[in-house]
Each structure stands twice: as structure tokens, then as C-alpha cells.
């Protein structure tokens, strides 16, 4: 190592398979199978019972199925090994899949809202009894899928996207059952497009939240649980650290936060404890307080930042 250009690395890895989503691949497959089966059942039921709410729920399930399929495909690419050109491999593929999910969900939400409004203009004769049966099948299936995905949604944006889609489906199925019950008991046909509006309004806000989180990753914003001011304070509190600059933290994909920084350390401290011990202290500080273990530090003597600025010009 040179006197002023020392680099230290500490790495943390997501659950088995390389990314947070990979640990839940089996559950995603089961959820996909359930979603496809219920989608077909609800499409049939929607046309037989002439229920827009049931068709809307089936359309949403179609995007869920596509989203789950993309999530599984993303896992395949994300777990491919790193190369000389792609030093983080294909881990970012998961985030791109989550972004595609968001766009699909926004499209479906808009379609459902539009069709619901059309139903108010041109009412239909919905068969309440059949709608309840098909809606109940969808609700039970969605609850099974939610149980499979509830744990993984806390660790992966991709799994969270799938979880939110299935959760919206479960609420949608419940709305279908309620609207069909109203139609069956009162004959009020407007309950069906109202339920469709509810389904559409459940889809859109959740999608915007996921979209914001996904864009934060793509724009390399600091992880939401990492306070950069506190990170700087902790680094500066270490003995011998005089300054820190070029401090950056971002997320490659779910479960892979990374950080880099140029740390100015006094020559006296470096001579006393050595570069390796200084790097261990920096890595321990980040790992213990902020759960960021994948770090890169450049140790510099005082005045080196001005030298770098001169080189840049």
C-alpha cells in the first residue's frame, strides 16, 4: 500500500443466491402458479356473471402473474457471476423488474378506473351469486400467496412489489364479494362499478410508493435507513480522523447497500496503529452502527484532497 492511497474493503452478502429476493424463489414460484390459476377462473367467472369487478380483479392478477414471472427472471440474471465489465454482476436486474412492475400496475389501475366510470354510464346486469363464488375462490388463493410472501417483502423490493400486488388482489376479491352481496340482496347494480373503482384506487397509491422506492435505488440515493450526517459524525469521531470527503452511499439491489469515502487520517495515528487497524475501525464503525458492511475507504494524508482537485482540472 502507498502512503497516501490505501483502500480497504469489507463485503456483506445478501441471503443465499446473492440477493435478498433469491431466498424466496420457491415461494414466488408457488405464488405465480396460484395467481395464474385464479386469473383463469376469474376471467371465466367475470364473463359468465357479467361482473366488471371480477374481470378487473382478473386483469390485475394477469399483471401480477407477469410481475412474478419477471421477478423470477430477474433472480436468474441477478445471480449470474460478476464479470470484468459488470463488476456487480446483474444484481440491478431486480430493480429494473420492480420498475417494470410499477408501470404495469399503473396501466392496469388506469384501465380499471376508466372501465368503472363507463359502467356508470352504461349499467350491466351482474349475477351476484356467481360473482360471490368466484370472488371467494380468489380471496382464499390470495391469502395463501400473501402468507408465502409476507416475510420476504421486508427484505426485497421485488418481493415487496409482488406482495403489494397480491395484497391489492386480496382486497379486490373482498370488494368483489361485498359488491356481489349488495347486488344479490338489494339489486343495486352500481355496486359492481363502485367495487371496481375501489380496486383501481387500491392499486395506484401503493404503486406510486413502490415506484418512489425503486427510483431512489436507480438514482443512487442513500439507503433510507442510513443517515449520512450520522455516518460522517461517526467516522470523524474515530481517533486520528481529521476529515472525510467524497462520502457516498447507495443501494445496488435489495439487501446490498454500499458505501465509499475518502478519509483524511493524521500521519501520527497511522504510524502508531497502522493502516490495517485503521481500516478495521472504519469498517467496524459502519457495520456496527449502520448495517453497511460493503465499504471502500481511501486513506489520505492532510492536503491530499487539494491535490486530487488539481488533478481533476
Amino acid at each position: 500500500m502507498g502512503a497516501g492511497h490505501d483502500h480497504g474493503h469489507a463485503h456483506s452478502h445478501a441471503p443465499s443466491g446473492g440477493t435478498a429476493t433469491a431466498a424466496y424463489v420457491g415461494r414466488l414460484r408457488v405464488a405465480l402458479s396460484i395467481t395464474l390459476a385464479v386469473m383463469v377462473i376469474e376471467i371465466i367467472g367475470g364473463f359468465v356473471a357479467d361482473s366488471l369487478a371480477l374481470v378487473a380483479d382478473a386483469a390485475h392478477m394477469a399483471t401480477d402473474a407477469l410481475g412474478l414471472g419477471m421477478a423470477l427472471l430477474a433472480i436468474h440474471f441477478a445471480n449470474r457471476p460478476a464479470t470484468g465489465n459488470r463488476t456487480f454482476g446483474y444484481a440491478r436486474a431486480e430493480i429494473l423488474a420492480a420498475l417494470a412492475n410499477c408501470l404495469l400496475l399503473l396501466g392496469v389501475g388506469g384501465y380499471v378506473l376508466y372501465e368503472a366510470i363507463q359502467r356508470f354510464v352504461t349499467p350491466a346486469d351482474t349475477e351476484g351469486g356467481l360473482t360471490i363464488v368466484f370472488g371467494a375462490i380468489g380471496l382464499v388463493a390470495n391469502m395463501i400467496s400473501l402468507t408465502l410472501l409476507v416475510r420476504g417483502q421486508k427484505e426485497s423490493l421485488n418481493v415487496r412489489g409482488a406482495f403489494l400486488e397480491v395484497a391489492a388482489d386480496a382486497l379486490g376479491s373482498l370488494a368483489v364479494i361485498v359488491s356481489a352481496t349488495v347486488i344479490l340482496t338489494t339489486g343495486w347494480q352500481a355496486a359492481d362499478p363502485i367495487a371496481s373503482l375501489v380496486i383501481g384506487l387500491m392499486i395506484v397509491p401503493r404503486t406510486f410508493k413502490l415506484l418512489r422506492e425503486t427510483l431512489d435505488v436507480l438514482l443512487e440515493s442513500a439507503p433510507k435507513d442510513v443517515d449520512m450526517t450520522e455516518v460522517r459524525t461517526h467516522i470523524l469521531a474515530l481517533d486520528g480522523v481529521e476529515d472525510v470527503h467524497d462520502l457516498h452511499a447507495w443501494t445496488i439491489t435489495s439487501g446490498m447497500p454500499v458505501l465509499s469515502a475518502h478519509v483524511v487520517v493524521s500521519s501520527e495515528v497511522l504510524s502508531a496503529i497502522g493502516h490495517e487497524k485503521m481500516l478495521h475501525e472504519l469498517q467496524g464503525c459502519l457495520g456496527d452502527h449502520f448495517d453497511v458492511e460493503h465499504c471502500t475507504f481511501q486513506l489520505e494524508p492532510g492536503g491530499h484532497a487539494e491535490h486530487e482537485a488539481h488533478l481533476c482540472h
Side-chain angles (χ1 to χ4, degrees):
M1 294 183 181
H5 296 75
D6 300 284
H7 302 266
H9 308 270
H11 305 279
S12 65
H13 300 279
S16 63
T19 65
T21 311
Y24 301 94
V25 63
R27 298 185 179 205
L28 283 169
R29 285 173 179 159
V30 174
L32 174 60
S33 300
I34 292 173
T35 300
L36 286 171
V38 176
M39 178 192 73
V40 173
I41 292 172
E42 287 197 341
I43 288 174
I44 295 172
F47 283 107
V48 171
D50 197 14
S51 169
L52 174 62
L54 208 50
V55 172
D57 206 32
H60 187 203
M61 281 203 163
T63 63
D64 289 352
L66 185 56
L68 288 165
M70 287 192 301
L72 288 166
L73 188 63
I75 292 171
H76 169 72
F77 284 107
N79 291 325
R80 292 176 65 180
T83 66
N85 291 329
R86 292 184 172 87
T87 56
F88 280 103
Y90 292 82
R92 190 53 68 86
E94 289 187 87
I95 304 303
L96 295 177
L99 177 62
N101 264 349
C102 291
L103 298 178
L104 282 170
L105 280 169
L106 288 175
V108 170
Y111 169 77
V112 169
L113 293 174
Y114 172 78
E115 286 297 323
I117 293 171
Q118 292 296 107
R119 278 274 174 131
F120 283 112
V121 178
T122 310
D125 188 15
T126 302
E127 175 57 51
L130 282 175
T131 303
I132 289 175
V133 172
F134 287 107
I137 293 173
L139 180 61
V140 171
N142 285 322
M143 294 307 294
I144 294 172
S145 295
L146 282 175
T147 302
L148 292 171
L149 301 176
V150 65
R151 202 170 146 199
Q153 61 98 17
K154 298 176 183 177
E155 301 176 15
S156 164
L157 281 179
N158 234 355
V159 178
R160 189 180 306 170
F163 178 85
L164 290 176
E165 289 168 344
V166 176
D169 271 340
L171 292 172
S173 296
L174 187 60
V176 168
I177 294 171
V178 171
S179 69
T181 302
V182 171
I183 292 172
L184 196 62
T185 56
T186 69
W188 190 45
Q189 293 291 330
D192 185 68
I194 288 174
S196 302
L197 284 173
V198 171
I199 294 172
L201 292 175
M202 286 188 301
I203 295 171
V204 176
R206 288 175 171 82
T207 303
F208 273 116
K209 182 176 183 296
L210 178 63
L211 180 62
R212 185 173 63 250
E213 293 180 11
T214 302
L215 290 177
D216 279 344
V217 174
L218 291 175
L219 294 173
E220 299 190 340
S221 301
K224 62 180 181 180
D225 55 346
V226 176
D227 187 319
M228 296 303 289
T229 301
E230 288 189 23
V231 170
R232 182 181 296 275
T233 300
H234 274 272
I235 292 176
L236 290 172
L238 292 174
D239 290 339
V241 174
E242 298 177 347
D243 190 22
V244 57
H245 62 99
D246 290 315
L247 176 61
H248 303 284
W250 66 101
T251 305
I252 299 299
T253 190
S254 302
M256 287 182 65
V258 295
L259 180 143
S260 68
H262 291 207
V263 183
V264 180
V265 184
S266 70
S267 300
E268 293 79 10
V269 171
L270 278 182
S271 298
I273 68 173
H275 295 81
E276 185 174 359
K277 177 126 177 28
M278 190 72 237
L279 290 171
H280 284 326
E281 289 186 9
L282 286 165
Q283 291 159 0
C285 171
L286 271 296
D288 292 342
H289 295 285
F290 302 99
D291 196 25
V292 180
E293 296 179 9
H294 193 118
C295 313
T296 301
F297 295 105
Q298 175 168 301
L299 304 184
E300 301 175 353
H304 186 74
E306 289 77 8
H307 173 67
E308 285 185 339
H310 176 71
L311 290 177
C312 291
H313 294 294

